[in-house]
Amino acid sequence: QVQLVESGGGLVQAGGSLRLSCVASGRTFSNYVMGWFRQAPGKERVFVAAISWGGGSTAVANSVKGRFTISRDSAKNTVYLQMNSLKPEDTAVYYCAASRTVVPTASSNEYDYWGQGTQVTVSS
């Protein structure tokens, strides 16, 4: 079992930045691909970014490419999502997830554990 707790969300103006954190506890953190997803009101949950076990491979959604960066610190059992140049359309609840796949995946079905989410609101 893996427990995931997100933090770092909040209210920010368009063009601003936020860094989300996700702390994992339970099974060995380094054995899991870690991902971020988001869900806007009235919409489905969608993939944002994912990172491999060792951090050497990442996948990022086209909608955030060049603005968002995913990273992980295995010593701290933590994965981060650095979000720059935020837009109102980035407003959503952001979820951290852990997957036992080998490579970063955008498919939510391949993630076994999920956090409770953190709200990000970008004002225009």
Side-chain angles (χ1 to χ4, degrees):
Q1 192 77 5
V2 174
Q3 293 79 41
L4 304 172
V5 179
E6 304 98 333
S7 63
L11 173 64
V12 63
Q13 289 189 331
S17 298
L18 283 174
R19 187 176 79 159
L20 305 183
S21 299
C22 172
V23 179
S25 60
R27 291 180 179 264
T28 305
F29 172 71
S30 60
N31 290 346
Y32 292 85
V33 164
M34 300 299 297
W36 287 98
F37 289 75
R38 68 185 183 186
Q39 187 169 18
K43 296 188 177 181
E44 293 185 351
R45 189 175 301 185
V46 298
F47 171 75
V48 176
I51 189 166
S52 62
W53 300 348
S57 178
T58 62
V60 181
N62 287 335
S63 60
V64 303
K65 194 166 291 184
R67 300 188 297 122
F68 291 13
T69 302
I70 187 171
S71 62
R72 68 191 295 166
D73 185 338
S74 294
K76 296 182 178 180
N77 286 354
T78 302
V79 62
Y80 303 99
L81 185 68
Q82 178 67 44
M83 306 186 295
N84 299 328
S85 302
L86 283 161
K87 305 175 181 180
E89 51 263 44
D90 295 318
T91 295
V93 177
Y94 283 71
Y95 296 91
C96 174
S99 170
R100 287 173 284 191
T101 57
V102 176
V103 296
T105 175
S107 173
S108 61
N109 292 333
E110 297 195 68
Y111 287 83
D112 306 288
Y113 304 101
W114 294 83
Q116 293 299 307
T118 185
Q119 176 71 48
V120 172
T121 303
V122 184
S123 63
S124 57

